[in-house]
């Protein structure tokens, strides 16, 4: 053939400029997350340093026993969560609805690593390990409320300042399909965002989906924690919790696409509580090292890295679901 192909045609300067502009915007968009996570991490370390001693100095009792020890510490930590979610939402606006909660959970990882591993705590409480494990288990009651409040704050903030076009920032075309009804449908913004169509659900179906999501998340996360949580070091704990709950949330959101997101969010502290109650029945392999893998780290690691991983896995499932919905829609569209 004598004609020039499109591959051999010189690129237009305007196209190169647009491409560079998009690359710069993409870099700045990701940089916002890095900055927001660092700001949230410094903020949590500062706040906790003022009101909560580290777990090695009985700080775990401040969060576990509530008013009996320090209601002030709990309230200040929850207030810090609200501030971190607001900061994260503003710095990442108008991204996905849970961007602020994700930033807050990553920021909490900084505090977890600052507090260190569970090893010294076990060494200091070697005469009453059962009591220490029980306190750690009860501490998760606080963390469950902490996560639920974070979810509520995320909903409230995003309803006030959020954008219904957030799927575009995840790379999801909107509106999708050639169907006029779908094109004009309100895009769901929070729970059951994996539904393609109406968000109206019978109560029985909603309960069944939530149970399926909860149980599947617990099972998958437990398997990954057994495989990955092999030591009590902070880096090991962060990696194991991130991967375990990201994989678990992805699987459960795929199996139960109509489940509420908060059902998945609370699984990290629930698993941590189970570990605390079971740990006294498993012998230590050697001093200051627990024999049960579920309690090889403090609950704060579950509720920081675990929650961050769950949010990541959940939105990965969102993207996969809607791209799968788009394929038959695109194939049926007229040429």
């Amino acid at each position: 053939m004598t004609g020039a192909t499109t591959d051999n045609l010189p690129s237009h300067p305007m196209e190169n400029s647009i491409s560079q502009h998009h690359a710069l915007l993409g870099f700045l968009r990701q940089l916002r997350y890095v900055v927001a996570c660092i700001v949230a991490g410094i903020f949590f370390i500062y706040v906790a340093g003022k009101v909560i001693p580290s777990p090695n100095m009985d700080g775990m009792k401040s969060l576990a026993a509530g008013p009996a020890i320090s209601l002030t510490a709990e309230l200040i930590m929850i207030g810090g969560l609200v501030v971190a979610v607001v900061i994260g939402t503003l710095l990442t606006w108008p991204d996905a609805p849970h961007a602020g909660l994700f930033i807050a959970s990553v920021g909490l990882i900084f505090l977890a690593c600052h507090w260190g591993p569970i090893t010294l705590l076990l060494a200091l409480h070697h005469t009453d390990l059962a009591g220490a494990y029980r306190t750690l288990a009860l501490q998760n009651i606080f963390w469950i409320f902490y996560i639920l409040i974070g979810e509520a704050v995320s909903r409230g903030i995003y309803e006030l300042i959020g954008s219904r076009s957030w799927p575009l920032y995840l790379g999801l075309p909107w509106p999708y399909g050639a169907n006029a009804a779908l094109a004009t449908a309100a895009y769901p913004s929070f729970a059951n965002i994996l539904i393609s169509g109406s968000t109206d659900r019978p109560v029985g179906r909603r309960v069944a989906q939530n149970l399926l999501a909860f149980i599947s998340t617990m099972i998958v996360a437990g398997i990954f924690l057994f495989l990955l949580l092999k030591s009590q070091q902070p880096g090991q704990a962060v990696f194991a919790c991130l991967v375990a709950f990201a994989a678990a949330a992805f699987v459960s959101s795929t199996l139960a696409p109509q489940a509420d997101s908060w059902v998945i969010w609370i699984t990290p502290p629930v698993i941590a509580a189970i570990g605390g109650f079971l740990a006294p029945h498993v012998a230590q392999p050697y001093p200051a090292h627990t024999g049960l893998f579920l309690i090889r780290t403090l609950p704060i690691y579950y509720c920081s890295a675990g929650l961050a991983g769950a949010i990541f896995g959940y939105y990965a499932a969102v993207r996969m679901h809607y791209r799968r919905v788009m394929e038959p829609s695109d194939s049926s569209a007229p040429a």
Side-chain angles (χ1 to χ4, degrees):
M1 295 178 64
T2 58
T5 64
T6 56
D7 293 336
N8 295 327
L9 292 176
S11 59
H12 195 278
M14 181 62 71
E15 294 178 354
N16 292 335
S17 176
I18 293 175
S19 177
Q20 294 174 359
H21 179 68
H22 286 172
L24 177 61
L25 289 178
F27 171 76
L28 293 177
R29 179 170 175 263
Q30 302 303 323
L31 182 62
R32 292 181 308 159
Y33 279 87
V34 176
V35 172
C37 290
I38 294 175
V39 170
I42 295 173
F43 173 74
F44 272 120
I45 291 176
Y46 174 80
V47 170
K50 295 295 183 181
V51 297
I52 305 176
S54 73
N56 299 326
M57 300 300 293
D58 282 341
M60 63 175 181
K61 291 183 180 179
S62 298
L63 296 179
I69 298 295
S70 176
L71 178 61
T72 302
E74 293 188 343
L75 293 178
I76 291 179
M77 279 295 289
I78 291 175
L81 166 69
V82 174
V83 173
V85 172
V86 172
I87 292 174
T89 302
L90 293 177
L91 290 179
T92 60
W93 188 87
D95 278 12
H98 290 101
L101 185 59
F102 176 80
I103 296 299
S105 61
V106 173
L108 198 62
I109 296 176
F110 286 66
L111 178 59
C113 294
H114 179 70
W115 278 354
I118 197 175
T119 307
L120 183 57
L121 186 148
L122 298 179
L124 293 174
H125 294 80
H126 66 278
T127 58
D128 186 20
L129 283 176
Y133 288 138
R134 183 171 59 254
T135 303
L136 287 173
L138 293 175
Q139 185 187 122
N140 290 284
I141 298 174
F142 165 78
W143 288 117
I144 291 175
F145 280 108
Y146 178 93
I147 290 173
L148 292 177
I149 291 173
E151 170 74 1
V153 171
S154 295
R155 290 172 180 261
I157 293 175
Y158 208 84
E159 288 297 327
L160 290 175
I161 68 172
S163 170
R164 302 288 284 187
S165 62
W166 64 264
L168 296 175
Y169 297 95
L170 293 182
L172 303 174
W174 177 253
Y176 63 86
N179 189 307
L182 291 176
T184 58
Y187 206 105
S189 61
F190 280 98
N192 64 309
I193 56 179
L194 296 181
I195 298 177
S196 54
S198 173
T199 59
D200 296 331
R201 295 171 293 167
V203 175
R205 181 173 179 81
R206 181 173 183 174
V207 172
Q209 288 277 303
N210 285 343
L211 283 175
L212 177 58
F214 181 80
I215 294 173
S216 59
T217 303
M218 295 281 288
I219 293 174
V220 175
I223 293 173
F224 273 89
L225 289 170
F226 173 75
L227 296 173
L228 299 177
L229 193 52
K230 295 299 184 182
S231 77
Q232 298 178 177
Q233 295 304 310
Q236 180 81 62
V238 170
F239 174 78
C241 289
L242 276 171
V243 174
F245 287 98
F250 182 86
V251 171
S252 62
S253 298
T254 304
L255 294 176
Q258 298 183 20
D260 295 310
S261 56
W262 63 266
V263 174
I264 299 173
W265 299 167
I266 65 172
T267 54
V270 171
I271 289 181
I274 292 173
F277 285 120
L278 294 179
H281 306 288
V282 180
Q284 285 185 310
Y286 41 92
H289 286 74
T290 180
L292 181 66
F293 68 95
L294 291 177
I295 200 66
R296 284 179 182 153
T297 189
L298 297 167
I300 191 173
Y301 286 90
Y302 280 96
C303 301
S304 56
L307 178 58
I311 296 173
F312 180 86
Y314 182 75
Y315 278 94
V318 171
R319 295 186 65 174
M320 186 194 73
H321 175 82
Y322 271 107
R323 289 188 181 279
R324 188 170 61 242
V325 170
M326 284 292 297
E327 291 176 357
S329 177
D330 291 340
S331 62
S332 61

